[in-house]
Amino acid sequence: MSGIGTGYDLSTGTFSPDGRVFQTDYAQKAVDNSGTVVGIRCKDGVVLGAEKLIISKMLEQHSNRRTFPVDRHAGMAVAGVAADGRSVVSRAMGEANQYKSIYGEAIPGHVLAERLGSFMHLFNLYGGYRPYGVSALLATYGKEGPQLYLVEPSGATYRYFGTAVGKGRQGAKNEVEKLKLEEMSCREGIQAVAKILHQVHDEEKGFEMELAWVCEESGRHFQRVPQQLADEAEAAAKAALAAEDMDD
Amino acid sequence: MGTTIMAASFDGGVVLGADSRTSTGTYIANRATDKITPLTDSIYICRSGSAADTQNLSRYVQWFLEQHGMELGDEPEVKTAAKLAQMMAYQNKNMLQAGLIVAGWDKHEGGSVYAIPLGGTLVKTPFTIGGSGSAYIYGLCDKLWRPNMTEDECRAFVIKAVSHAMARDGSSGGCIRTVTISKDGVKRTFTPGDQVPVAAGELPPPQRAVPAQV
């Protein structure tokens, strides 16, 4: 990496001659090198799935959370620097809570996404700060229906039918595009996400899959997918991939 | 601001009503006051208590609602306007004398009426009355109120109730203003003093030299 941004990449407060803020690009790199996180918006809710790479055999299962509730109707999955991710989640919780205490109702998805984007963008402006090394997938289910947002380290926000970030994002996005999301229920969605995560996982190390959703079946509450459903989805995913391998 | 204010919901919207007297002691400072103030195009507030307090509070709520509408990208809801007014009333309860009624129409809930009495409680009701004159019409309103009235029936109910309050409360009088809010927009009516329905025992108003131009 040395040599590319020499001199112009030392501070967030410096542009390069060709108009880049290198620190923002480097933050994006932190996200690109992390475990894959996939999000899809089905007809009755949103499903988020994270590929948690197992860094040590001594790690207990279900530790190292990657999905977090932000409010009853909203939650996030983060990719990139895990500790940065926790800070962003904490901010989102604060925004949601403050909105409810002032306006008396749940924060709409686009308002939360834009506030989070504004917040993360701050750290791309000043030399004293570095950008958050986090991309956050935000799932909400409010009056506007189910929505999926992506907030990048630069502070840019996007609303997606389906997307992926992290190591396996290219492959994952290709697979997501093949899905007929408007016809899919979240039950089918968790199967699809499980399959995609297993497909794009680089087989060297093991990984643990973490699934979360907010949908009709969960009463429009953001929660971890119940263990039984998650296990079934994982088993089905592995079976489907094994079958495809045999077909080849 | 001794006053009579009220708001009632009907099938498809709300009707807000008020008298028009602002008094300082026995002197009537303004006999044609408009106590029904817009917060947004489809949400209005009835003001009772200190005129200064309620005018300034309404200005703050207008501002907050406008900012909120920009962030939301949509028309604010009546519930939100009521919540903001309540927040101001409660957090400043030691300094304010403001009895408020927030009512309007939004696409999620249709017509809604919210009462915010002196302490800063927030109560959603099918109809509510406020101000010094309201004390005299609790019985009348309880008797006359029906759910799912038509727009015209509701407006007649409001005008009748306010006129009875004006007959008994020295701090209420003048003319009756109503504002009707529905999905079709906002309609204002003005009942001049000599056309206010006469309550039992009242003398009819003196004949005008020139008819009122409404």
PDB file of all heavy atoms in Angstrom, chain A residues 19-37:
ATOM      1  N   GLY A  19      -8.403  14.525  -5.779  1.00  0.00           N
ATOM      2  CA  GLY A  19      -9.697  14.689  -5.120  1.00  0.00           C
ATOM      3  C   GLY A  19     -10.119  13.544  -4.216  1.00  0.00           C
ATOM      4  O   GLY A  19     -11.307  13.374  -3.968  1.00  0.00           O
ATOM      5  N   ARG A  20      -9.178  12.779  -3.716  1.00  0.00           N
ATOM      6  CA  ARG A  20      -9.551  11.707  -2.798  1.00  0.00           C
ATOM      7  C   ARG A  20      -9.177  12.083  -1.368  1.00  0.00           C
ATOM      8  O   ARG A  20      -8.233  12.836  -1.133  1.00  0.00           O
ATOM      9  CB  ARG A  20      -8.807  10.416  -3.163  1.00  0.00           C
ATOM     10  CG  ARG A  20      -8.954   9.986  -4.585  1.00  0.00           C
ATOM     11  CD  ARG A  20      -8.621   8.519  -4.711  1.00  0.00           C
ATOM     12  NE  ARG A  20      -9.645   7.698  -4.083  1.00  0.00           N
ATOM     13  CZ  ARG A  20     -10.739   7.295  -4.683  1.00  0.00           C
ATOM     14  NH1 ARG A  20     -10.989   7.645  -5.929  1.00  0.00           N
ATOM     15  NH2 ARG A  20     -11.610   6.545  -4.037  1.00  0.00           N
ATOM     16  N   VAL A  21      -9.961  11.565  -0.427  1.00  0.00           N
ATOM     17  CA  VAL A  21      -9.521  11.624   0.967  1.00  0.00           C
ATOM     18  C   VAL A  21      -9.038  10.215   1.279  1.00  0.00           C
ATOM     19  O   VAL A  21      -9.845   9.292   1.450  1.00  0.00           O
ATOM     20  CB  VAL A  21     -10.666  12.036   1.908  1.00  0.00           C
ATOM     21  CG1 VAL A  21     -10.200  12.031   3.354  1.00  0.00           C
ATOM     22  CG2 VAL A  21     -11.199  13.393   1.527  1.00  0.00           C
ATOM     23  N   PHE A  22      -7.745  10.027   1.343  1.00  0.00           N
ATOM     24  CA  PHE A  22      -7.206   8.668   1.418  1.00  0.00           C
ATOM     25  C   PHE A  22      -7.605   7.941   2.691  1.00  0.00           C
ATOM     26  O   PHE A  22      -7.836   6.736   2.685  1.00  0.00           O
ATOM     27  CB  PHE A  22      -5.675   8.679   1.265  1.00  0.00           C
ATOM     28  CG  PHE A  22      -5.239   8.725  -0.167  1.00  0.00           C
ATOM     29  CD1 PHE A  22      -4.678   9.861  -0.702  1.00  0.00           C
ATOM     30  CD2 PHE A  22      -5.423   7.619  -0.986  1.00  0.00           C
ATOM     31  CE1 PHE A  22      -4.295   9.907  -2.029  1.00  0.00           C
ATOM     32  CE2 PHE A  22      -5.047   7.640  -2.318  1.00  0.00           C
ATOM     33  CZ  PHE A  22      -4.479   8.795  -2.842  1.00  0.00           C
ATOM     34  N   GLN A  23      -7.701   8.674   3.774  1.00  0.00           N
ATOM     35  CA  GLN A  23      -8.078   8.029   5.026  1.00  0.00           C
ATOM     36  C   GLN A  23      -9.452   7.370   4.901  1.00  0.00           C
ATOM     37  O   GLN A  23      -9.693   6.305   5.480  1.00  0.00           O
ATOM     38  CB  GLN A  23      -8.085   9.055   6.171  1.00  0.00           C
ATOM     39  CG  GLN A  23      -6.697   9.399   6.691  1.00  0.00           C
ATOM     40  CD  GLN A  23      -6.010   8.194   7.287  1.00  0.00           C
ATOM     41  OE1 GLN A  23      -6.570   7.496   8.128  1.00  0.00           O
ATOM     42  NE2 GLN A  23      -4.797   7.936   6.851  1.00  0.00           N
ATOM     43  N   THR A  24     -10.367   8.018   4.188  1.00  0.00           N
ATOM     44  CA  THR A  24     -11.681   7.418   3.954  1.00  0.00           C
ATOM     45  C   THR A  24     -11.543   6.141   3.146  1.00  0.00           C
ATOM     46  O   THR A  24     -12.174   5.119   3.448  1.00  0.00           O
ATOM     47  CB  THR A  24     -12.608   8.401   3.207  1.00  0.00           C
ATOM     48  OG1 THR A  24     -12.603   9.638   3.888  1.00  0.00           O
ATOM     49  CG2 THR A  24     -14.012   7.863   3.118  1.00  0.00           C
ATOM     50  N   ASP A  25     -10.702   6.191   2.116  1.00  0.00           N
ATOM     51  CA  ASP A  25     -10.483   4.985   1.308  1.00  0.00           C
ATOM     52  C   ASP A  25      -9.897   3.861   2.151  1.00  0.00           C
ATOM     53  O   ASP A  25     -10.269   2.689   1.999  1.00  0.00           O
ATOM     54  CB  ASP A  25      -9.521   5.284   0.154  1.00  0.00           C
ATOM     55  CG  ASP A  25     -10.111   6.281  -0.824  1.00  0.00           C
ATOM     56  OD1 ASP A  25     -11.340   6.513  -0.768  1.00  0.00           O
ATOM     57  OD2 ASP A  25      -9.359   6.839  -1.647  1.00  0.00           O
ATOM     58  N   TYR A  26      -8.962   4.212   3.011  1.00  0.00           N
ATOM     59  CA  TYR A  26      -8.343   3.182   3.857  1.00  0.00           C
ATOM     60  C   TYR A  26      -9.355   2.597   4.835  1.00  0.00           C
ATOM     61  O   TYR A  26      -9.326   1.401   5.141  1.00  0.00           O
ATOM     62  CB  TYR A  26      -7.136   3.758   4.626  1.00  0.00           C
ATOM     63  CG  TYR A  26      -6.001   4.224   3.746  1.00  0.00           C
ATOM     64  CD1 TYR A  26      -5.039   5.086   4.233  1.00  0.00           C
ATOM     65  CD2 TYR A  26      -5.899   3.811   2.407  1.00  0.00           C
ATOM     66  CE1 TYR A  26      -3.987   5.523   3.444  1.00  0.00           C
ATOM     67  CE2 TYR A  26      -4.869   4.240   1.600  1.00  0.00           C
ATOM     68  CZ  TYR A  26      -3.907   5.102   2.115  1.00  0.00           C
ATOM     69  OH  TYR A  26      -2.889   5.545   1.332  1.00  0.00           O
ATOM     70  N   ALA A  27     -10.254   3.460   5.329  1.00  0.00           N
ATOM     71  CA  ALA A  27     -11.309   2.941   6.213  1.00  0.00           C
ATOM     72  C   ALA A  27     -12.159   1.933   5.457  1.00  0.00           C
ATOM     73  O   ALA A  27     -12.537   0.883   5.994  1.00  0.00           O
ATOM     74  CB  ALA A  27     -12.172   4.092   6.736  1.00  0.00           C
ATOM     75  N   GLN A  28     -12.453   2.233   4.202  1.00  0.00           N
ATOM     76  CA  GLN A  28     -13.228   1.309   3.368  1.00  0.00           C
ATOM     77  C   GLN A  28     -12.485  -0.013   3.222  1.00  0.00           C
ATOM     78  O   GLN A  28     -13.083  -1.093   3.188  1.00  0.00           O
ATOM     79  CB  GLN A  28     -13.479   1.939   1.991  1.00  0.00           C
ATOM     80  CG  GLN A  28     -14.375   1.122   1.086  1.00  0.00           C
ATOM     81  CD  GLN A  28     -15.787   0.968   1.629  1.00  0.00           C
ATOM     82  OE1 GLN A  28     -16.393   1.907   2.126  1.00  0.00           O
ATOM     83  NE2 GLN A  28     -16.304  -0.242   1.572  1.00  0.00           N
ATOM     84  N   LYS A  29     -11.157   0.058   3.153  1.00  0.00           N
ATOM     85  CA  LYS A  29     -10.340  -1.166   3.068  1.00  0.00           C
ATOM     86  C   LYS A  29     -10.535  -2.048   4.290  1.00  0.00           C
ATOM     87  O   LYS A  29     -10.588  -3.277   4.201  1.00  0.00           O
ATOM     88  CB  LYS A  29      -8.848  -0.803   2.974  1.00  0.00           C
ATOM     89  CG  LYS A  29      -8.384  -0.505   1.593  1.00  0.00           C
ATOM     90  CD  LYS A  29      -7.921  -1.776   0.901  1.00  0.00           C
ATOM     91  CE  LYS A  29      -7.631  -1.520  -0.558  1.00  0.00           C
ATOM     92  NZ  LYS A  29      -8.619  -2.082  -1.433  1.00  0.00           N
ATOM     93  N   ALA A  30     -10.639  -1.393   5.462  1.00  0.00           N
ATOM     94  CA  ALA A  30     -10.842  -2.173   6.693  1.00  0.00           C
ATOM     95  C   ALA A  30     -12.134  -2.967   6.582  1.00  0.00           C
ATOM     96  O   ALA A  30     -12.211  -4.127   7.004  1.00  0.00           O
ATOM     97  CB  ALA A  30     -10.884  -1.237   7.901  1.00  0.00           C
ATOM     98  N   VAL A  31     -13.153  -2.344   6.014  1.00  0.00           N
ATOM     99  CA  VAL A  31     -14.435  -3.034   5.824  1.00  0.00           C
ATOM    100  C   VAL A  31     -14.291  -4.156   4.809  1.00  0.00           C
ATOM    101  O   VAL A  31     -14.767  -5.277   5.010  1.00  0.00           O
ATOM    102  CB  VAL A  31     -15.513  -2.035   5.348  1.00  0.00           C
ATOM    103  CG1 VAL A  31     -16.788  -2.760   4.984  1.00  0.00           C
ATOM    104  CG2 VAL A  31     -15.774  -0.995   6.405  1.00  0.00           C
ATOM    105  N   ASP A  32     -13.594  -3.856   3.704  1.00  0.00           N
ATOM    106  CA  ASP A  32     -13.484  -4.834   2.623  1.00  0.00           C
ATOM    107  C   ASP A  32     -12.748  -6.092   3.055  1.00  0.00           C
ATOM    108  O   ASP A  32     -12.913  -7.154   2.444  1.00  0.00           O
ATOM    109  CB  ASP A  32     -12.773  -4.210   1.420  1.00  0.00           C
ATOM    110  CG  ASP A  32     -13.597  -3.109   0.774  1.00  0.00           C
ATOM    111  OD1 ASP A  32     -14.808  -3.063   1.032  1.00  0.00           O
ATOM    112  OD2 ASP A  32     -13.030  -2.307   0.018  1.00  0.00           O
ATOM    113  N   ASN A  33     -11.899  -5.966   4.083  1.00  0.00           N
ATOM    114  CA  ASN A  33     -11.122  -7.132   4.522  1.00  0.00           C
ATOM    115  C   ASN A  33     -11.788  -7.914   5.637  1.00  0.00           C
ATOM    116  O   ASN A  33     -11.237  -8.903   6.121  1.00  0.00           O
ATOM    117  CB  ASN A  33      -9.732  -6.676   4.996  1.00  0.00           C
ATOM    118  CG  ASN A  33      -8.882  -6.218   3.827  1.00  0.00           C
ATOM    119  OD1 ASN A  33      -9.108  -6.643   2.691  1.00  0.00           O
ATOM    120  ND2 ASN A  33      -7.934  -5.345   4.086  1.00  0.00           N
ATOM    121  N   SER A  34     -12.963  -7.468   6.061  1.00  0.00           N
ATOM    122  CA  SER A  34     -13.601  -8.160   7.187  1.00  0.00           C
ATOM    123  C   SER A  34     -14.543  -9.239   6.682  1.00  0.00           C
ATOM    124  O   SER A  34     -14.761  -9.389   5.476  1.00  0.00           O
ATOM    125  CB  SER A  34     -14.378  -7.158   8.045  1.00  0.00           C
ATOM    126  OG  SER A  34     -15.709  -7.080   7.621  1.00  0.00           O
ATOM    127  N   GLY A  35     -15.115  -9.997   7.634  1.00  0.00           N
ATOM    128  CA  GLY A  35     -16.070 -11.040   7.267  1.00  0.00           C
ATOM    129  C   GLY A  35     -17.266 -10.467   6.533  1.00  0.00           C
ATOM    130  O   GLY A  35     -17.668  -9.333   6.780  1.00  0.00           O
ATOM    131  N   THR A  36     -17.847 -11.281   5.636  1.00  0.00           N
ATOM    132  CA  THR A  36     -18.963 -10.806   4.810  1.00  0.00           C
ATOM    133  C   THR A  36     -20.210 -10.563   5.657  1.00  0.00           C
ATOM    134  O   THR A  36     -20.499 -11.313   6.595  1.00  0.00           O
ATOM    135  CB  THR A  36     -19.305 -11.868   3.742  1.00  0.00           C
ATOM    136  OG1 THR A  36     -18.100 -12.302   3.141  1.00  0.00           O
ATOM    137  CG2 THR A  36     -20.240 -11.295   2.694  1.00  0.00           C
ATOM    138  N   VAL A  37     -20.921  -9.513   5.324  1.00  0.00           N
ATOM    139  CA  VAL A  37     -22.237  -9.270   5.926  1.00  0.00           C
ATOM    140  C   VAL A  37     -23.222  -9.047   4.786  1.00  0.00           C
ATOM    141  O   VAL A  37     -22.963  -8.251   3.884  1.00  0.00           O
ATOM    142  CB  VAL A  37     -22.241  -8.047   6.863  1.00  0.00           C
ATOM    143  CG1 VAL A  37     -23.625  -7.820   7.436  1.00  0.00           C
ATOM    144  CG2 VAL A  37     -21.242  -8.231   7.997  1.00  0.00           C
TER     145      VAL A  37
END
